[in-house]
Amino acid sequence: QVRLVESGGGLVQAGGSLRLSCVVSGNRLHVNGMGWYRQAPGQSREYVAIISRDFITDYADSVKDRFTIYRDNAENTVELQMNSLKPEDTGMYYCNVNGELLDSSRAFQTWGQGTQVTVSS
């Protein structure tokens, strides 16, 4: 019942920027953590960034000082601003959220379908 939809991916040259967005919809929700992960072909999915409901952030060492994560609690959206992109940033980027369904008090953890980011040399 909880659905995540990512957008904003595309093709960009090294040194360029992209801004990814993720919107969360479904039943009445209390969203806690929101984060971004990425996966290149033949590789494991890796952590990129996370933000708590109180706007505390954390980043993987590989993206620190280049990426910034934001969230809007009123609309249950999370965004990832990516600057100074490198070819090694190429991959499918996935949004992940966790929280509780207010009507049932059940916890949930959900992934989106992903948005492709390709950085050329």
Side-chain angles (χ1 to χ4, degrees), residues 100-114:
E100 296 83 40
L101 303 176
L102 296 179
D103 292 337
S104 64
S105 298
R106 291 183 177 182
F108 71 89
Q109 189 269 138
T110 304
W111 293 93
Q113 294 300 307

PDB file of all heavy atoms in Angstrom, residues 100-114:
ATOM      1  N   GLU A 100       5.628   4.040   9.991  1.00  0.00           N
ATOM      2  CA  GLU A 100       4.456   3.335  10.487  1.00  0.00           C
ATOM      3  C   GLU A 100       3.211   3.776   9.733  1.00  0.00           C
ATOM      4  O   GLU A 100       3.075   4.942   9.377  1.00  0.00           O
ATOM      5  CB  GLU A 100       4.247   3.589  11.983  1.00  0.00           C
ATOM      6  CG  GLU A 100       5.348   3.081  12.898  1.00  0.00           C
ATOM      7  CD  GLU A 100       6.510   4.045  12.992  1.00  0.00           C
ATOM      8  OE1 GLU A 100       6.257   5.273  13.056  1.00  0.00           O
ATOM      9  OE2 GLU A 100       7.665   3.583  13.002  1.00  0.00           O
ATOM     10  N   LEU A 101       2.285   2.837   9.519  1.00  0.00           N
ATOM     11  CA  LEU A 101       0.959   3.137   8.994  1.00  0.00           C
ATOM     12  C   LEU A 101       0.086   3.575  10.159  1.00  0.00           C
ATOM     13  O   LEU A 101      -0.135   2.812  11.095  1.00  0.00           O
ATOM     14  CB  LEU A 101       0.357   1.912   8.308  1.00  0.00           C
ATOM     15  CG  LEU A 101       1.179   1.299   7.175  1.00  0.00           C
ATOM     16  CD1 LEU A 101       0.508   0.031   6.658  1.00  0.00           C
ATOM     17  CD2 LEU A 101       1.351   2.303   6.042  1.00  0.00           C
ATOM     18  N   LEU A 102      -0.432   4.800  10.126  1.00  0.00           N
ATOM     19  CA  LEU A 102      -1.143   5.363  11.264  1.00  0.00           C
ATOM     20  C   LEU A 102      -2.442   4.629  11.577  1.00  0.00           C
ATOM     21  O   LEU A 102      -2.815   4.494  12.744  1.00  0.00           O
ATOM     22  CB  LEU A 102      -1.423   6.848  11.027  1.00  0.00           C
ATOM     23  CG  LEU A 102      -0.192   7.744  10.928  1.00  0.00           C
ATOM     24  CD1 LEU A 102      -0.603   9.181  10.676  1.00  0.00           C
ATOM     25  CD2 LEU A 102       0.646   7.652  12.189  1.00  0.00           C
ATOM     26  N   ASP A 103      -3.152   4.131  10.559  1.00  0.00           N
ATOM     27  CA  ASP A 103      -4.435   3.471  10.790  1.00  0.00           C
ATOM     28  C   ASP A 103      -4.279   2.114  11.466  1.00  0.00           C
ATOM     29  O   ASP A 103      -5.164   1.687  12.210  1.00  0.00           O
ATOM     30  CB  ASP A 103      -5.198   3.301   9.478  1.00  0.00           C
ATOM     31  CG  ASP A 103      -5.657   4.626   8.905  1.00  0.00           C
ATOM     32  OD1 ASP A 103      -5.777   5.601   9.674  1.00  0.00           O
ATOM     33  OD2 ASP A 103      -5.914   4.685   7.687  1.00  0.00           O
ATOM     34  N   SER A 104      -3.182   1.421  11.215  1.00  0.00           N
ATOM     35  CA  SER A 104      -2.981   0.077  11.749  1.00  0.00           C
ATOM     36  C   SER A 104      -1.815  -0.016  12.728  1.00  0.00           C
ATOM     37  O   SER A 104      -1.647  -1.061  13.362  1.00  0.00           O
ATOM     38  CB  SER A 104      -2.749  -0.909  10.609  1.00  0.00           C
ATOM     39  OG  SER A 104      -1.547  -0.609   9.912  1.00  0.00           O
ATOM     40  N   SER A 105      -1.009   1.023  12.839  1.00  0.00           N
ATOM     41  CA  SER A 105       0.191   1.049  13.677  1.00  0.00           C
ATOM     42  C   SER A 105       1.224   0.018  13.236  1.00  0.00           C
ATOM     43  O   SER A 105       2.088  -0.377  14.027  1.00  0.00           O
ATOM     44  CB  SER A 105      -0.172   0.835  15.148  1.00  0.00           C
ATOM     45  OG  SER A 105      -1.020   1.862  15.623  1.00  0.00           O
ATOM     46  N   ARG A 106       1.165  -0.415  11.988  1.00  0.00           N
ATOM     47  CA  ARG A 106       2.128  -1.369  11.468  1.00  0.00           C
ATOM     48  C   ARG A 106       3.344  -0.653  10.891  1.00  0.00           C
ATOM     49  O   ARG A 106       3.214   0.371  10.217  1.00  0.00           O
ATOM     50  CB  ARG A 106       1.500  -2.238  10.380  1.00  0.00           C
ATOM     51  CG  ARG A 106       0.450  -3.213  10.877  1.00  0.00           C
ATOM     52  CD  ARG A 106      -0.051  -4.076   9.748  1.00  0.00           C
ATOM     53  NE  ARG A 106      -1.005  -5.077  10.198  1.00  0.00           N
ATOM     54  CZ  ARG A 106      -1.559  -5.971   9.413  1.00  0.00           C
ATOM     55  NH1 ARG A 106      -1.265  -5.993   8.111  1.00  0.00           N
ATOM     56  NH2 ARG A 106      -2.424  -6.840   9.907  1.00  0.00           N
ATOM     57  N   ALA A 107       4.511  -1.219  11.142  1.00  0.00           N
ATOM     58  CA  ALA A 107       5.738  -0.686  10.574  1.00  0.00           C
ATOM     59  C   ALA A 107       5.861  -1.085   9.103  1.00  0.00           C
ATOM     60  O   ALA A 107       5.342  -2.125   8.683  1.00  0.00           O
ATOM     61  CB  ALA A 107       6.946  -1.187  11.359  1.00  0.00           C
ATOM     62  N   PHE A 108       6.535  -0.267   8.316  1.00  0.00           N
ATOM     63  CA  PHE A 108       6.781  -0.600   6.919  1.00  0.00           C
ATOM     64  C   PHE A 108       8.178  -0.157   6.521  1.00  0.00           C
ATOM     65  O   PHE A 108       8.757   0.750   7.126  1.00  0.00           O
ATOM     66  CB  PHE A 108       5.743   0.047   5.990  1.00  0.00           C
ATOM     67  CG  PHE A 108       5.894   1.539   5.858  1.00  0.00           C
ATOM     68  CD1 PHE A 108       6.724   2.087   4.885  1.00  0.00           C
ATOM     69  CD2 PHE A 108       5.213   2.397   6.695  1.00  0.00           C
ATOM     70  CE1 PHE A 108       6.870   3.462   4.761  1.00  0.00           C
ATOM     71  CE2 PHE A 108       5.347   3.771   6.582  1.00  0.00           C
ATOM     72  CZ  PHE A 108       6.179   4.301   5.611  1.00  0.00           C
ATOM     73  N   GLN A 109       8.695  -0.790   5.493  1.00  0.00           N
ATOM     74  CA  GLN A 109       9.964  -0.437   4.879  1.00  0.00           C
ATOM     75  C   GLN A 109       9.823  -0.763   3.388  1.00  0.00           C
ATOM     76  O   GLN A 109       9.551  -1.918   3.034  1.00  0.00           O
ATOM     77  CB  GLN A 109      11.119  -1.209   5.507  1.00  0.00           C
ATOM     78  CG  GLN A 109      12.512  -0.763   5.075  1.00  0.00           C
ATOM     79  CD  GLN A 109      13.012  -1.518   3.864  1.00  0.00           C
ATOM     80  OE1 GLN A 109      13.602  -0.945   2.958  1.00  0.00           O
ATOM     81  NE2 GLN A 109      12.774  -2.826   3.852  1.00  0.00           N
ATOM     82  N   THR A 110       9.993   0.247   2.532  1.00  0.00           N
ATOM     83  CA  THR A 110       9.643   0.100   1.125  1.00  0.00           C
ATOM     84  C   THR A 110      10.722   0.686   0.223  1.00  0.00           C
ATOM     85  O   THR A 110      11.327   1.717   0.552  1.00  0.00           O
ATOM     86  CB  THR A 110       8.301   0.791   0.830  1.00  0.00           C
ATOM     87  OG1 THR A 110       7.295   0.265   1.694  1.00  0.00           O
ATOM     88  CG2 THR A 110       7.874   0.563  -0.614  1.00  0.00           C
ATOM     89  N   TRP A 111      10.946   0.026  -0.912  1.00  0.00           N
ATOM     90  CA  TRP A 111      11.848   0.491  -1.966  1.00  0.00           C
ATOM     91  C   TRP A 111      11.066   0.995  -3.167  1.00  0.00           C
ATOM     92  O   TRP A 111      10.000   0.480  -3.502  1.00  0.00           O
ATOM     93  CB  TRP A 111      12.757  -0.648  -2.445  1.00  0.00           C
ATOM     94  CG  TRP A 111      13.750  -1.123  -1.440  1.00  0.00           C
ATOM     95  CD1 TRP A 111      13.603  -2.144  -0.557  1.00  0.00           C
ATOM     96  CD2 TRP A 111      15.068  -0.600  -1.237  1.00  0.00           C
ATOM     97  NE1 TRP A 111      14.746  -2.292   0.192  1.00  0.00           N
ATOM     98  CE2 TRP A 111      15.657  -1.360  -0.208  1.00  0.00           C
ATOM     99  CE3 TRP A 111      15.797   0.429  -1.834  1.00  0.00           C
ATOM    100  CZ2 TRP A 111      16.959  -1.112   0.242  1.00  0.00           C
ATOM    101  CZ3 TRP A 111      17.083   0.682  -1.381  1.00  0.00           C
ATOM    102  CH2 TRP A 111      17.646  -0.093  -0.358  1.00  0.00           C
ATOM    103  N   GLY A 112      11.622   1.992  -3.856  1.00  0.00           N
ATOM    104  CA  GLY A 112      11.091   2.420  -5.136  1.00  0.00           C
ATOM    105  C   GLY A 112      11.647   1.571  -6.264  1.00  0.00           C
ATOM    106  O   GLY A 112      12.451   0.658  -6.053  1.00  0.00           O
ATOM    107  N   GLN A 113      11.219   1.867  -7.499  1.00  0.00           N
ATOM    108  CA  GLN A 113      11.651   1.108  -8.664  1.00  0.00           C
ATOM    109  C   GLN A 113      12.972   1.592  -9.244  1.00  0.00           C
ATOM    110  O   GLN A 113      13.580   0.897 -10.050  1.00  0.00           O
ATOM    111  CB  GLN A 113      10.573   1.141  -9.745  1.00  0.00           C
ATOM    112  CG  GLN A 113       9.290   0.423  -9.339  1.00  0.00           C
ATOM    113  CD  GLN A 113       9.529  -1.034  -9.025  1.00  0.00           C
ATOM    114  OE1 GLN A 113      10.105  -1.768  -9.834  1.00  0.00           O
ATOM    115  NE2 GLN A 113       9.107  -1.468  -7.844  1.00  0.00           N
ATOM    116  N   GLY A 114      13.427   2.770  -8.856  1.00  0.00           N
ATOM    117  CA  GLY A 114      14.725   3.270  -9.265  1.00  0.00           C
ATOM    118  C   GLY A 114      14.664   4.253 -10.420  1.00  0.00           C
ATOM    119  O   GLY A 114      13.723   4.271 -11.207  1.00  0.00           O
TER     120      GLY A 114
END
